[in-house]
Amino acid sequence: MKPDLLKLLDTTPNLHVIVIGEAMLDGYLEGFSDRLCPEAPVPVVTVKNRVYVPGGAANTAVNITSFGGQVTFLSVIGDDSEGLQLKRSLLEQGVSTTDLIVHPGRQTLAKQRAIAASQILLRIDTGTTNAIDGDTEQALIAKLQLVFPQCHAVIISDYGYGILTAKVIDAIAQLQQQHPRILVVDSKNLTVYRHLKVTAVKPNYEQTTQLLKIPPYIPIQNQEISRAEQITPYGEKLLDITGAKIVAVTLDTEGAIVFQGDSPPHRTYTQPTNQSRTAGAGDTYISALTLALASGAATPLAADFAASAAAIVVRKEGTTTCSIEELRLFLSSSSPTPPHSPSPALPLSSSPTLQKNITDTNQLITVIADYRKAGYKIVFTNGCFDILHAGHVSYLNRAKALGDILIIGVNSDNSIRRIKGETRPINSLEDRIQVLGGLACVDYLIAFNEDTPINLIRLVQPDIYVKGGDYTIETLPEAPVIQQFGGVVKLLPFLENRSTTEIIKKIIQNH
Ligand SMILES: Nc1ncnc2c1ncn2[C@@H]1O[C@H](COP(=O)(O)OP(=O)(O)O)[C@@H](O)[C@H]1O
Ligand SMILES: O=P(O)(O)OC[C@@H](O)[C@H]1O[C@@H](OP(=O)(O)O)[C@@H](O)[C@@H](O)[C@@H]1O
């Protein structure tokens, strides 16, 4: 359970958000390709299915609606078939098109992808990209003036295709002075919004390096630093360049890093989806961030909310959104995924189950602190888990059910040798961690080399410490330590006739 984040879901439906920016029509032409074009060495795609969805700023508007918010969508489209299709798609997704200005002199922006065998082979962009004319500008400003005083928040979704002209930006600045609102900007050129002193900006990594005029990070062997590490020292500079109160830098597979005033940067992590074919994860992120800030959430909570929504959409294909129900399910799920899953910078091996393995106690402390802040109950247990059997699995599932996050201290090979003799363990620490990591109930694993887990327990300070076997509270050496910091000890009996020693005996007898 993530109580604070879940509470936000109750407030977002009451919010009215203006989205202003470039409406696009995203097209997905899906088919197959079994030959090359005779005129040029390019694949011929036989289209079997066409899907059209709102894109660009229109995707942000749809995202607000899908979170249950009320949206006024301000944009300019052409009087053409793409414009008609876009209106239809917006209406299908519950976004009113009454505030869309149709300008016969413009061609609606459209981005059509040709897809075969799940690969985007080509994107064709069409539409007018120069600035809107004076009359359209005035009409847009008039609409803004009408709705601005009634809204809770404004999102500027500026792809640089002519809607956010200097006059429109100035009009927003004036309105913001008269009726200060949560004002969040996603723009390829954030510097032009500096004088607005906006609430938040959301550059992605590429835009951030451009803002900072630093070269994008290219990994060099043996000098691996993450993009988050590269950007972290620039928090103050980014706040200064953009004039924003909050700068949320989204880093695709690395999650996001959020800067605000003198507070330490707030980092969110994501489960990297390397083959992600999602378009508009940034649109989802900014929509959720804006709604959370408009609900009065503190910045770290708003950032976690946005990261959770983005984590949902990146599992989907194409231009897509996250519904309030999906988010509720995600946030209620007891199995932790982003925003708090371990950083991809952790020692990963080829196996995803090893992502649960923490080798650095500082990392463990950070992870636990984050969960605590969000109101989670930490359960801790420890053991050898050599040759995992049904008794272990049932025990661990019951341990997990006692709280939210299950952390296991796993005895190192040396500590098992000392406790159980030279012939043990049968399986190495790496293998035991790999097997335990495959269990859905296990959230984090950390090895310990001492004979008892007492030092680890002092570090974790679990809400609930679980121990199996024949102990009583009186005979359990860890019990006084747990009780010292207010934790609870739970003793769970093992299943009968299930033990690693029994398995070893059986193998020796029968084979
Ligand atoms: N491939 C991915 N795997 C996991 N999460 C992702 C991936 N791409 C994006 N995200 C999530 O979506 C957020 C916004 O995505 P990003 O690509 O940084 O922005 P934009 O879409 O604006 O370029 C990220 O902060 C991250 O949480
Ligand atoms: O900026 P260009 O490439 O010209 O046009 C925008 C597109 O790249 C896509 O950008 C995505 O946003 P994200 O940038 O993924 O958040 C979404 O808004 C899509 O709907 C949109 O088609």
Side-chain angles (χ1 to χ4, degrees):
M1 264 259 290
K2 305 171 186 178
D4 295 348
L5 290 170
L6 275 169
K7 263 188 234 149
L8 280 177
L9 294 176
D10 299 330
T11 47
T12 51
N14 306 322
L15 298 170
H16 173 195
V17 181
I18 296 175
V19 175
I20 179 164
E22 279 91 12
M24 298 173 192
L25 178 69
D26 280 0
Y28 291 88
L29 312 183
E30 296 164 346
F32 65 87
S33 176
D34 52 7
R35 65 193 176 104
L36 288 179
C37 172
E39 298 106 285
V42 293
V44 171
V45 178
T46 306
V47 175
K48 289 285 174 196
N49 189 27
R50 288 162 198 263
V51 178
Y52 292 103
V53 286
N59 183 39
T60 302
V62 174
N63 268 281
I64 295 290
T65 307
S66 79
F67 288 124
Q70 191 200 328
V71 71
T72 298
F73 181 40
L74 298 177
S75 191
V76 183
I77 57 170
D79 186 12
D80 46 19
S81 59
E82 288 84 357
L84 270 181
Q85 178 63 59
L86 176 54
K87 277 186 163 185
R88 218 175 293 141
S89 311
L90 277 166
L91 289 170
E92 274 166 17
Q93 308 249 29
V95 175
S96 160
T97 57
T98 46
D99 292 305
L100 272 184
I101 298 174
V102 179
H103 189 276
R106 284 182 85 82
Q107 205 191 343
T108 305
L109 290 167
K111 317 254 159 193
Q112 312 227 36
R113 288 96 169 151
I115 302 170
S118 294
Q119 288 292 320
I120 297 182
L121 299 175
L122 176 73
R123 191 179 98 180
I124 298 170
D125 287 13
T126 50
T128 309
T129 55
N130 44 22
I132 50 174
D133 62 22
D135 289 348
T136 313
E137 213 170 35
Q138 278 318 311
L140 196 60
I141 291 170
K143 281 184 183 285
L144 255 174
Q145 287 166 339
L146 210 63
V147 283
F148 201 103
Q150 300 154 24
C151 76
H152 297 98
V154 179
I155 299 177
I156 298 177
S157 175
D158 175 7
Y159 285 79
Y161 299 136
I163 306 289
L164 276 304
T165 60
K167 279 197 181 140
V168 173
I169 296 173
D170 281 348
I172 297 173
Q174 272 180 26
L175 286 162
Q176 178 68 358
Q177 256 188 353
Q178 292 157 12
H179 318 274
R181 296 288 183 262
I182 295 290
L183 177 54
V184 183
V185 185
D186 187 357
S187 168
K188 290 185 179 169
N189 186 8
L190 280 171
T191 49
V192 300
Y193 294 92
R194 191 171 188 277
H195 64 293
L196 270 67
K197 301 258 174 280
V198 303
T199 314
V201 292
K202 190 224 77 71
N204 62 17
Y205 176 70
E206 196 192 337
Q207 290 156 359
T208 305
T209 54
Q210 282 162 8
L211 272 173
L212 293 168
K213 300 191 173 46
I214 57 171
Y217 165 64
I218 300 158
I220 305 167
Q221 229 178 6
N222 303 327
Q223 288 184 28
E224 288 273 328
I225 62 157
S226 64
R227 284 172 292 170
E229 281 170 303
Q230 186 201 11
I231 298 301
T232 302
Y234 293 104
E236 210 181 314
K237 190 164 180 194
L238 285 168
L239 288 162
D240 182 44
I241 296 173
T242 60
K245 293 182 193 78
I246 301 163
V247 176
V249 178
T250 57
L251 299 163
D252 57 75
T253 49
E254 283 186 35
I257 179 155
V258 181
F259 303 101
Q260 181 180 27
D262 295 332
S263 314
H266 180 77
R267 180 91 164 79
T268 55
Y269 299 97
T270 184
Q271 208 79 56
T273 314
N274 291 325
Q275 305 301 325
S276 178
R277 274 193 35 217
T278 310
D283 301 337
T284 301
Y285 186 98
I286 199 173
S287 304
L289 182 79
T290 306
L291 285 169
L293 290 173
S295 296
T299 306
L301 189 69
D304 289 355
F305 189 72
S308 303
I312 293 169
V313 295
V314 294
R315 295 174 189 182
K316 304 181 184 180
E317 294 208 334
T319 316
T320 182
T321 60
C322 158
S323 73
I324 201 160
E325 292 77 23
E326 284 172 307
L327 199 49
R328 193 181 301 281
L329 199 69
F330 181 86
L331 295 174
S332 319
S333 126
S334 55
S335 165
T337 32
H340 294 286
S341 54
S343 150
L346 284 175
L348 303 184
S349 86
S350 51
S351 161
T353 64
L354 286 190
Q355 289 179 27
K356 296 179 178 178
N357 183 25
I358 294 190
T359 53
D360 173 359
T361 47
N362 284 328
Q363 176 81 39
L364 182 69
I365 292 168
T366 313
V367 165
I368 291 171
D370 273 356
Y371 282 117
R372 281 246 154 75
K373 243 188 282 161
Y376 290 83
K377 264 200 179 132
I378 311 288
V379 183
F380 180 84
T381 190
N382 58 279
C384 303
F385 303 100
D386 192 14
I387 312 186
L388 201 74
H389 52 73
H392 289 138
V393 176
S394 134
Y395 166 79
L396 292 174
N397 274 321
R398 282 186 299 153
K400 166 77 173 201
L402 295 170
D404 301 306
I405 305 296
L406 177 61
I407 302 173
I408 307 184
V410 186
N411 289 77
S412 71
D413 293 351
N414 277 337
S415 88
I416 297 183
R417 256 177 238 123
R418 286 195 304 270
I419 301 164
K420 301 202 180 233
E422 271 313 305
T423 57
R424 300 281 295 274
I426 303 290
N427 290 319
S428 69
L429 177 67
E430 201 196 347
D431 283 21
R432 289 180 287 122
I433 281 187
Q434 171 113 332
V435 172
L436 282 167
L439 297 180
C441 61
V442 175
D443 298 312
Y444 294 101
L445 296 151
I446 181 152
F448 69 97
N449 199 25
E450 292 141 308
D451 291 355
T452 79
I454 286 191
N455 283 332
L456 196 51
I457 289 171
R458 286 208 173 96
L459 210 73
V460 174
Q461 305 206 350
D463 299 287
I464 298 150
Y465 176 66
V466 182
K467 192 72 193 163
D470 306 320
Y471 290 100
T472 63
I473 305 265
E474 289 71 34
T475 59
L476 186 70
E478 292 86 357
V481 185
I482 307 284
Q483 283 152 355
Q484 235 172 39
F485 49 76
V488 174
V489 178
K490 290 269 179 195
L491 300 173
L492 298 177
F494 283 146
L495 283 188
E496 275 182 28
N497 304 324
R498 307 292 204 291
S499 84
T500 300
T501 313
E502 283 303 317
I503 295 173
I504 296 171
K505 266 196 212 150
K506 229 190 256 173
I507 294 173
I508 292 172
Q509 276 166 15
N510 302 338
H511 301 276

